[in-house]
């Protein structure tokens, strides 16, 4: 999400979030145990944007999760806090058919007049293309343009995938690139065709460009290496900056990204391989968070055989004007998590869930921690819901418990739940939800369990 876009400073109009001001704090932080990974089962090439409803929406590359549903064509997820995410469906029922049977990769979602635009890649070794879909709301429905915004042969460059659009309110600039150079291309006013000539801004070591503006500079984040080479993946994130959208983008040492430069921001670790294709999202406290994907080295593929690219977050620290992430490896900024002004905060108490949610016939207790903001009371309900192995959401599993908290008050509520005896094999996610009614969720916390015989995923 780009801070200069109109959506980046939009706030809830229905009262769920307060306006940002000096009286914003204290804000809520989430338990470290929930921090990473955040988008599961797959969160490759994430694009994250905040909507008018206060929710964050993540859009990810199409993948077959092995859940029996086939290809998820640009899966969508929602979150109140960048940590707990809920699957919200697929943007497309099927692949766009105007360029053959190509997978929809690397979406980038931005605000536009009267709604939102999603730019996406259709990979092709000969003539890759950028497509566009539009929607009145972030949840859709998404209507495809039905043709290319442009393809490689239209603009005379190769590697035209991984779109990232910067809209300053006057001009739309798209960045594309896939190891044949990163290019900036001006679009026409409605973002449906190229208008300017491509300008190369980084060399052919990179793909997955992303632009972020801060303190008068445009920061170009790019990914290098092979994203999906299993245990040998050397995918990593580098950056350069410029005072111009078309560069030159220089690294910390002053070297041009077009001439071998690039400041390393994030690379793999013993636990996580191939971190890359990032976006940057600010929280309500003004801190920036990198959202990206990485592969757990202990489980490098999904059940379908697709790369197991989980959605991740880490905090960015700006040092002398340059982005740094912890020790430079995934999850290294934990237990820090984003801070948000929410009407209430729900989390699982340390004693958490006793038993295994997916054990048919088992009865177990779930202890939920509920906290009101320091400066305002909260009255509402708390209840449990779950997503099933096919990622569909259940109705409430428990009767709602009414709570009436004074400012800053913290309570714990225990729910007892018996899992139906016909529970199917697979991953279950238990959500502790809060809101005025069970039809209006204002916050939730997610906990992951699996059926006996598998391993827990959190």
């Amino acid at each position: 999400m780009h801070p200069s876009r109109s959506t980046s400073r939009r706030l809830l109009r229905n009262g769920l979030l307060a306006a940002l001001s000096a009286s914003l704090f204290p804000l809520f932080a989430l338990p470290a145990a929930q921090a990473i990974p955040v988008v599961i089962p797959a969160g490759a090439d994430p694009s994250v944007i905040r909507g008018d409803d206060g929710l964050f929406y993540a859009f990810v590359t199409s993948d077959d999760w092995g859940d029996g549903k086939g290809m998820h064509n640009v899966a969508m997820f929602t979150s109140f806090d960048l940590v707990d995410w809920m699957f919200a469906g697929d943007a497309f029922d099927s692949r766009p058919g105007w360029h053959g049977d190509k997978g929809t990769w690397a979406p980038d979602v931005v605000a536009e007049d009267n709604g939102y635009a999603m730019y996406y890649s259709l990979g092709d070794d000969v003539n890759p293309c950028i497509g566009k879909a539009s929607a009145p709301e972030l949840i859709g429905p998404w209507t495809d343009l039905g043709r290319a915004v442009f393809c490689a042969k239209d603009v005379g460059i190769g590697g035209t995938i991984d779109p990232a659009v910067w809209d300053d309110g006057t001009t739309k600039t798209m960045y594309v690139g896939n190891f044949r150079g990163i290019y900036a291309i001006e679009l026409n006013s409605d973002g449906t065709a190229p208008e300017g000539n491509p300008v190369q801004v980084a060399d052919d070591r990179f793909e997955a460009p992303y632009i972020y503006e801060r303190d008068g500079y445009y920061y170009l984040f790019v990914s290098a290496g092979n994203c999906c080479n299993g245990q040998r993946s050397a995918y990593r994130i580098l950056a350069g900056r410029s005072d111009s959208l078309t560069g030159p983008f220089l690294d910390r040492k002053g070297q041009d990204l077009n001439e071998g430069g690039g400041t390393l921001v994030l690379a793999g670790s013993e636990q996580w391989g191939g971190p890359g294709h990032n976006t940057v999202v600010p929280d309500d406290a003004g801190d920036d968070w990198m959202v990206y994907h990485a592969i757990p080295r202990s489980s490098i593929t999904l059940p379908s055989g697709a790369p197991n690219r989980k959605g991740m977050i880490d905090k960015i620290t700006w040092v002398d004007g340059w982005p740094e992430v912890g020790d430079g490896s995934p999850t290294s900024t934990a237990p820090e998590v984003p801070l948000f002004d929410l009407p209430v905060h729900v989390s699982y108490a340390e004693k958490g869930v006793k038993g295994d949610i997916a054990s048919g016939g088992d009865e177990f207790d779930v202890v939920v921690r509920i906290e009101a903001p320091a400066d305002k009371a909260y009255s509402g309900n708390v209840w449990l819901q779950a997503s099933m192995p096919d990622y569909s959401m259940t109705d409430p599993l428990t009767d709602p418990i009414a709570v009436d908290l004074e400012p800053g008050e913290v309570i714990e509520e225990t729910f007892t739940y018996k899992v139906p005896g016909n529970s199917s094999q697979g991953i279950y996610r238990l959500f502790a939800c809060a809101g005025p009614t069970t039809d209006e969720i204002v916050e939730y916390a997610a906990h992951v369990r699996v059926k006996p015989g598998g391993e827990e995923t959190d």
Side-chain angles (χ1 to χ4, degrees):
M1 184 175 68
H2 303 301
S4 66
R5 293 173 178 165
S6 59
T7 55
S8 66
R9 294 293 181 261
R10 289 179 179 176
L11 306 171
L12 268 181
R13 295 168 184 166
N14 60 7
L16 298 185
L17 288 177
L20 298 181
S21 68
S23 62
L24 181 69
F25 306 99
L27 302 171
F28 290 126
L30 287 100
Q34 298 182 40
I36 34 191
V38 293
V39 181
I40 61 172
D45 311 326
S47 173
V48 179
I49 184 171
R50 197 174 196 175
D52 282 335
D53 56 3
L55 283 166
F56 290 96
Y57 290 76
F59 299 79
V60 303
T61 278
S62 301
D63 268 317
D64 182 343
W65 301 345
D67 60 351
K69 299 272 186 164
M71 185 67 68
H72 286 271
N73 293 294
V74 184
M76 303 179 292
F77 299 83
T78 59
S79 176
F80 286 101
D81 49 38
L82 297 181
V83 172
D84 292 301
W85 291 86
M86 185 181 292
F87 175 54
D90 299 331
F92 303 117
D93 293 331
S94 60
R95 294 176 175 181
W98 50 262
H99 191 58
D101 188 26
K102 308 296 183 183
T104 44
W105 298 345
D108 184 49
V109 177
V110 297
E112 65 174 6
D113 292 341
N114 303 315
Y116 299 90
M118 178 198 300
Y119 295 91
Y120 60 87
S121 311
L122 290 184
D124 183 327
D125 291 340
V126 176
N127 191 33
C129 299
I130 302 297
K132 181 187 179 185
S134 300
E137 304 290 342
L138 284 164
I139 200 65
W142 290 93
T143 302
D144 194 67
L145 181 63
R147 63 168 175 83
V149 175
F150 59 78
C151 297
K153 292 181 179 179
D154 297 326
V155 292
I157 60 175
T160 50
I161 67 167
D162 295 351
V165 173
W166 182 268
D167 186 351
D168 63 10
T170 302
T171 303
K172 293 180 173 68
T173 304
M174 179 182 288
Y175 296 80
V176 293
N178 174 233
F179 304 121
R180 297 184 183 181
I182 302 295
Y183 289 84
I185 304 174
E186 185 177 336
L187 302 180
N188 62 5
S189 60
D190 60 5
T192 60
E195 190 163 88
N197 295 319
V199 177
Q200 186 169 342
V201 295
D203 60 37
D204 59 8
R205 293 170 296 146
F206 304 120
E207 66 173 7
Y210 179 78
I211 286 283
Y212 193 69
E213 184 182 27
R214 178 184 169 88
D215 294 339
Y217 285 104
Y218 297 102
Y219 289 82
L220 175 63
F221 292 88
V222 288
S223 297
N226 189 319
C227 73
C228 310
N229 197 24
Q231 296 284 7
R232 297 184 298 278
S233 175
Y235 214 46
R236 58 200 183 277
I237 297 171
L238 299 95
R241 73 182 189 185
S242 176
D243 58 8
S244 167
L245 285 170
T246 54
F249 288 91
L250 308 181
D251 67 12
R252 203 167 194 160
K253 297 180 180 179
Q255 190 170 2
D256 196 324
L257 267 64
N258 254 326
E259 299 175 356
T263 294
L264 183 64
V265 180
L266 193 66
S269 65
E270 182 177 349
Q271 181 182 8
W272 293 96
H277 205 125
N278 72 289
T279 184
V280 178
V281 185
D283 67 13
D284 286 351
D287 291 320
D288 289 323
W289 292 81
M290 180 173 287
V291 186
Y292 59 97
H293 70 241
I295 297 175
R297 295 193 188 276
S298 61
S299 178
I300 61 175
T301 60
L302 295 167
S304 66
N308 187 13
R309 291 176 287 179
K310 304 298 189 188
M312 312 283 281
I313 59 170
D314 266 298
K315 185 178 180 180
I316 296 176
T317 301
W318 296 90
V319 179
D320 298 328
W322 289 96
E324 295 183 0
V325 172
D327 66 5
S329 68
T331 80
S332 60
T333 66
E336 290 186 272
V337 288
L339 302 176
F340 288 101
D341 180 34
L342 300 173
V344 66
H345 177 61
V346 291
S347 60
Y348 290 98
E350 284 190 9
K351 39 195 173 232
V353 178
K354 298 177 181 178
D356 193 315
I357 182 176
S359 303
D362 278 1
E363 185 174 270
F364 60 91
D365 291 337
V366 180
V367 184
V368 177
R369 187 175 186 270
I370 308 146
E371 180 181 358
D375 60 348
K376 56 193 172 200
Y378 175 76
S379 294
N381 290 286
V382 181
W383 65 95
L384 300 182
Q385 284 183 244
S387 65
M388 305 298 283
D390 64 358
Y391 300 96
S392 62
M393 289 297 297
T394 67
D395 292 329
L397 302 176
T398 59
D399 291 333
I401 294 177
V403 297
D404 191 3
L405 279 63
E406 297 295 325
E409 185 177 359
V410 180
I411 64 172
E412 290 184 353
E413 293 285 354
T414 300
F415 295 85
T416 300
Y417 179 66
K418 185 174 182 178
V419 180
N422 60 352
S423 295
S424 57
Q425 178 76 38
I427 298 175
Y428 287 71
R429 300 194 80 195
L430 187 67
F431 289 87
C433 303
T437 70
T438 56
D439 293 326
E440 187 178 355
I441 299 174
V442 300
E443 225 285 78
Y444 52 74
H447 186 79
V448 181
R449 309 288 281 184
V450 300
K451 195 172 179 67
E455 296 180 357
E456 293 187 9
T457 56
D458 67 341

